[in-house]
Amino acid sequence: MPQKSIRQALNEALAQEMRRDPTVVVIGEDVAGGAATEGQRDAYGGVLGVTKGLFAEFGEARVIDTPITESAIMGAAAGAAVTGLRPVAELMFSDFFGVCFDQIFNQAAKFRYVIRTMIGAGRSAAAQHSQSPYHIFTSVPGLKCVVPSNAYDAKGLLIQAIRDDDPVVFCEHKLMYDLRAEVPDEPYTIPFGEANIVRDGDDVTVVALSRMVHYTNEAADTLAKEGIECELIDPRTTSPLDEDTILESVERTGRLVIVDEATPRCSIATDIAALVADKAFAALKAPVRRVTAPHTPVPFAPVLEKLYIPSPERIAAVIREVHGYVG
């Protein structure tokens, strides 16, 4: 099976679905390379190259460059969905959702289409381009929210998102576009609401999202040498959330750590902690712990941003504490 990056997997998913279904259109800032010169347009393919090549194959009627106006992008996509099209609208940085939240919250959540957007810190892009607000999208009734962690999941989940009859917010971590995994050439789907058990273990259940799956796996490798076996769960989608897989794991291990790059208040980490406290409290042998960013804006300075993002070392330290807890 060929190795592909997340960027390649997403591009392949878009192209295959556009060939399969003529109602699928892509709309957003620079998705056709509108900021480049005419001869270079399609070589550009968006700010990080995910839509490269689509304009050459499908043309301006289906790959639509827009001005820098998020409210118009989301409003146009919502209107297109009502007419029967399946637009894939790009909100370049998820931080910009405040500009178009009425279209997402009050309009799109009641219609259908896909919003692709970028999340995550680590590029020193400051607080307006580095946040991870998927918990806000998750809280909106009518929206589905996808947070993939690898190229295989990214392709299957994006195809599922395009085919889904409900509106989907698809969150892509900007530092993971070059991560590679085995990805089939043919189209396939991954059902929403089915978590991936990344690694098995009987000592501590760890739920991690997006880039934090890789950091947690690194921490778990270190802990395994110490005799601590973690069961690592990647939810893949936050709405719907695979509650059963999380609860079944906690019932077996009796311990839970949630790793989430977003800030802690009203976050996915907080939501999962509440879920387990509500439905599996009797199984717990230790307090539920969360490893998150602090409740502050994302710092611009690289040294502060590094401290802001949960590290494998901090994740491992919290798991050790939970594993060694004696009530």
Side-chain angles (χ1 to χ4, degrees), residues 35-291:
T37 62
E38 191 65 28
Q40 297 175 320
R41 282 191 82 191
D42 208 50
Y44 189 61
V47 65
L48 287 175
V50 173
T51 57
K52 182 177 179 179
L54 298 183
F55 181 81
E57 180 172 354
F58 301 103
E60 63 184 8
R62 296 184 65 195
V63 183
I64 305 164
D65 265 342
T66 69
I68 303 175
T69 168
E70 288 77 15
S71 57
I73 295 167
M74 297 302 139
V82 173
T83 70
L85 295 177
R86 286 187 180 265
V88 180
E90 181 173 310
L91 177 62
M92 187 179 288
F93 292 93
S94 60
D95 314 66
F96 302 162
F97 81 88
V99 181
C100 55
F101 197 51
D102 176 64
Q103 287 84 353
I104 296 171
F105 179 76
N106 283 319
Q107 311 306 328
K110 284 72 177 176
F111 302 146
R112 64 181 65 166
Y113 69 93
V114 180
I115 302 168
R116 287 185 46 251
T117 190
M118 285 194 293
I119 60 171
R123 293 176 65 94
S124 297
Q128 291 79 17
H129 298 77
S130 304
Q131 298 167 96
S132 297
Y134 40 79
H135 58 289
I136 297 177
F137 303 128
T138 302
S139 73
V140 178
L143 293 181
K144 293 180 178 177
C145 188
V146 180
V147 191
S149 68
N150 60 75
Y152 178 85
D153 286 357
K155 180 177 177 178
L157 290 167
L158 183 55
I159 292 175
Q160 176 67 28
I162 294 170
R163 297 182 185 183
D164 199 290
D165 285 336
D166 293 318
V168 181
V169 180
F170 195 94
C171 300
E172 306 161 12
H173 199 294
K174 61 179 70 69
L175 264 73
M176 296 201 305
Y177 280 119
D178 291 323
L179 290 184
R180 303 180 73 82
E182 291 186 345
V183 179
D185 291 331
E186 63 274 8
Y188 59 93
T189 61
I190 296 174
F192 292 166
E194 292 188 10
N196 178 34
I197 299 178
V198 179
R199 64 192 297 156
D200 296 315
D202 294 322
D203 294 326
V204 182
T205 299
V206 187
V207 180
L209 299 147
S210 188
R211 189 184 182 203
M212 293 298 102
V213 173
H214 302 279
Y215 278 22
T216 303
N217 209 26
E218 184 178 333
D221 285 340
T222 298
L223 293 168
K225 298 173 184 175
E226 303 171 16
I228 302 173
E229 295 296 336
C230 299
E231 177 141 291
L232 175 54
I233 298 173
D234 174 6
R236 301 198 284 205
T237 62
T238 58
S239 183
L241 179 68
D242 185 353
E243 297 183 5
D244 290 343
T245 295
I246 296 170
L247 293 171
E248 288 167 7
S249 180
V250 173
E251 291 279 359
R252 190 179 67 258
T253 67
R255 293 175 169 84
L256 174 64
V257 174
I258 309 120
V259 187
D260 182 3
E261 188 178 322
T263 49
R265 298 297 307 277
C266 305
S267 64
I268 297 300
T270 301
D271 185 55
I272 293 172
L275 166 72
V276 171
D278 184 32
K279 296 187 176 182
F281 183 78
L284 290 172
K285 303 173 185 175
V288 175
R289 292 289 304 276
R290 297 169 296 158
V291 186

Side-chain angles (χ1 to χ4, degrees), residues 17-32:
E17 286 303 287
M18 292 180 79
R19 294 178 196 127
R20 183 190 66 85
D21 183 352
T23 67
V24 177
V25 298
V26 172
I27 178 172
E29 299 167 20
D30 290 335
V31 293

